[in-house]
Amino acid sequence: TERKKLHTAPVGQVFRLRPFHVLVATGGGYAGYRKYEDYKLEQLEKRGIEVPVKLASEWEVALYKSVPTRLLSRAWGRLNQVELPTWLRKPVYSLYIWTFGVNMKEAAVEDLHHYRNLSEFFRRKLKPQARPVCCLHSVISPSDGKILNFGQVKNCEVEQVKGVTYSLESFLGPRICTEELHFSQAPPGNSFQQQLVTKEGNELYHCVIYLAPGDYHCFHSPTDWRVSHRRHFPGSLMSVNPGVARWIKELFCHNERVVLTGDWKHGFFSLTAVGATNVGSIRIYFDRDLHTNSPRYSKGSYNDFSFISNNNKEGIPMRKGEHLGEFNLGSTIVLIFEAPKDFKFHLKAGQKIRFGEALGSL
């Protein structure tokens, strides 16, 4: 008689799942499955076996995009800024070094206890002599990474990896005012690609560099040029590793990115920093107004900023090898530029490259 009554809720209420939870669980599980598939593809590539291109369907892309990667990346960014106890720093960083093959002998500060949090460790600087800048070639690699693709831009399409392309206009956005970039006015009937080429006899070239989590995360100016304009595209933060780039067409057009546009001695030049999962933070050192992966910006839009003003008619001059910006973790850099027809790349698809090494020259 003294037993207490046990009140139970209906089973349906206890296990009631909201649509958001179902979406996150389904999308997260599918993202994990894709990671496993990417791992298998990498193993086949290491054996020299050519993997046929298999593009994702619309529903697969929509499912992947349903994962709240922007929110997760913001949470990851805050976690990275949490100061670690001194005794915990070496075990945590050592695990990261072992997992991703980081070479700490190149770091300006090799002592792991120096880095207060993961963010500082990701953005570590290198010793000055670790990356000599090539003076013999006109265009150098702006970062460490892996060459995914390079060559001439054809039919307004750019290859993100072999056999998988994206639209040049979708990637860069509408053409910027010619007065701002000191370009000559192109005939309105020309294609978007032809409008970017300012000098007769020139061609448009591209190069895609993937930065893995273990790579040096800062990027530098690939040549002597002037930055006139910045265009920020808020977007998804899907993985940009080679396996996903081979699977999702126009992946770089879906993801958040910062397009720096200007000119060099041969005409049009652009450098685009593409965000990825856990890489919502893209920083450009001379651009204090840039805020990436911010909830105030919605997907599908873009915002422009001009570095040309009444007080500054030339934009931002950048010297080859000069510090330009940084990622948190790893991501991708895409160069699209104009050059004479005799421009030659000194690269092989899939090769590892380091900041300062030659990309190509005339």
Side-chain angles (χ1 to χ4, degrees):
T1 58
E2 295 180 357
R3 291 179 181 174
K4 294 181 178 179
K5 292 183 180 180
L6 179 63
H7 296 277
T8 59
V11 176
Q13 291 183 10
V14 175
F15 294 101
R16 182 178 296 169
L17 294 175
R18 297 179 181 179
F20 176 75
H21 298 156
V22 174
L23 205 60
V24 171
T26 306
Y30 191 77
Y33 165 74
R34 287 306 315 172
K35 286 285 187 182
Y36 173 68
E37 290 293 312
D38 296 339
Y39 172 76
K40 292 198 299 184
L41 290 177
E42 288 177 5
Q43 296 305 308
L44 291 175
E45 286 183 342
K46 288 180 180 178
R47 298 180 197 171
I49 301 173
E50 187 172 348
V51 181
V53 175
K54 183 181 179 182
L55 294 177
S57 61
E58 291 185 7
W59 72 265
E60 287 178 308
V61 176
L63 183 59
Y64 192 0
K65 291 176 72 173
S66 72
V67 180
T69 50
R70 288 166 61 87
L71 180 62
L72 293 173
S73 297
R74 284 196 290 270
W76 176 252
R78 291 181 181 179
L79 179 63
N80 286 351
Q81 294 173 6
V82 174
E83 185 169 344
L84 297 176
T86 305
W87 62 269
L88 189 58
R89 295 175 188 176
K90 188 171 183 178
V92 170
Y93 301 148
S94 295
L95 178 61
Y96 186 91
I97 291 168
W98 177 79
T99 303
F100 297 109
V102 178
N103 183 4
M104 284 302 294
K105 292 183 179 180
E106 297 176 333
V109 180
E110 297 184 40
D111 182 13
L112 298 180
H113 296 100
H114 169 80
Y115 303 99
R116 294 174 297 176
N117 52 49
L118 283 167
S119 181
E120 286 188 2
F121 180 72
F122 294 150
R123 296 180 287 107
R124 63 193 177 275
K125 305 301 181 184
L126 299 182
K127 295 173 182 175
Q129 67 273 19
R131 296 289 186 276
V133 175
C134 177
C135 300
L136 301 177
H137 299 276
S138 54
V139 184
I140 62 168
S141 176
S143 66
D144 289 6
K146 178 181 180 180
I147 302 296
L148 294 189
N149 215 298
F150 63 92
Q152 283 190 20
V153 177
K154 297 180 180 179
N155 302 320
C156 294
E157 292 281 325
V158 185
E159 281 195 316
Q160 58 191 30
V161 294
K162 186 178 180 180
V164 182
T165 63
Y166 55 93
S167 163
L168 179 64
E169 186 169 5
S170 297
F171 182 70
L172 295 178
R175 188 164 178 257
I176 301 162
C177 176
T178 54
E179 294 179 2
E180 194 170 284
L181 297 180
H182 312 284
F183 292 168
S184 58
Q185 183 67 40
N190 286 5
S191 68
F192 183 81
Q193 177 179 336
Q194 292 171 327
Q195 291 177 22
L196 295 180
V197 178
T198 63
K199 298 180 181 179
E200 188 176 353
N202 280 2
E203 297 287 348
L204 206 61
Y205 297 87
H206 73 98
C207 182
V208 183
I209 305 170
Y210 167 68
L211 288 75
D215 288 328
Y216 168 56
H217 295 111
C218 296
F219 51 93
H220 301 245
S221 177
T223 192
D224 296 335
W225 64 308
R226 295 178 299 177
V227 184
S228 303
H229 187 272
R230 179 259 291 161
R231 177 168 286 162
H232 171 216
F233 289 86
S236 300
L237 289 172
M238 295 184 283
S239 172
V240 293
N241 73 53
V244 177
R246 187 184 295 106
W247 179 57
I248 297 181
K249 183 178 174 65
E250 297 202 332
L251 171 64
F252 299 154
C253 298
H254 291 296
N255 272 16
E256 182 154 11
R257 59 198 182 277
V258 176
V259 182
L260 299 179
T261 309
D263 60 301
W264 69 319
K265 60 182 178 181
H266 300 296
F268 174 81
F269 198 97
S270 72
L271 180 149
T272 302
V274 183
T277 307
N278 296 334
V279 197
S281 175
I282 302 171
R283 182 183 173 195
I284 305 298
Y285 294 137
F286 57 75
D287 190 354
R288 296 182 179 179
D289 295 320
L290 175 65
H291 300 285
T292 57
N293 195 17
S294 171
R296 65 179 175 178
Y297 297 124
S298 60
K299 296 180 184 179
S301 62
Y302 65 84
N303 54 83
D304 289 337
F305 185 86
S306 174
F307 298 109
I308 302 293
S309 64
N310 293 331
N311 297 326
N312 180 12
K313 299 291 185 180
E314 300 299 321
I316 307 296
M318 296 298 301
R319 304 296 297 176
K320 185 168 65 173
E322 186 178 351
H323 279 84
L324 182 54
E326 63 187 33
F327 292 110
N328 275 330
L329 213 57
S331 196
T332 299
I333 288 179
V334 180
L335 301 178
I336 298 175
F337 57 93
E338 173 186 1
K341 291 183 178 180
D342 57 350
F343 180 86
K344 300 294 182 183
F345 284 102
H346 305 291
L347 303 171
K348 292 182 181 179
Q351 79 171 71
K352 290 288 292 182
I353 198 166
R354 304 201 304 176
F355 155 61
E357 294 178 347
L359 287 184
S361 62
L362 297 168

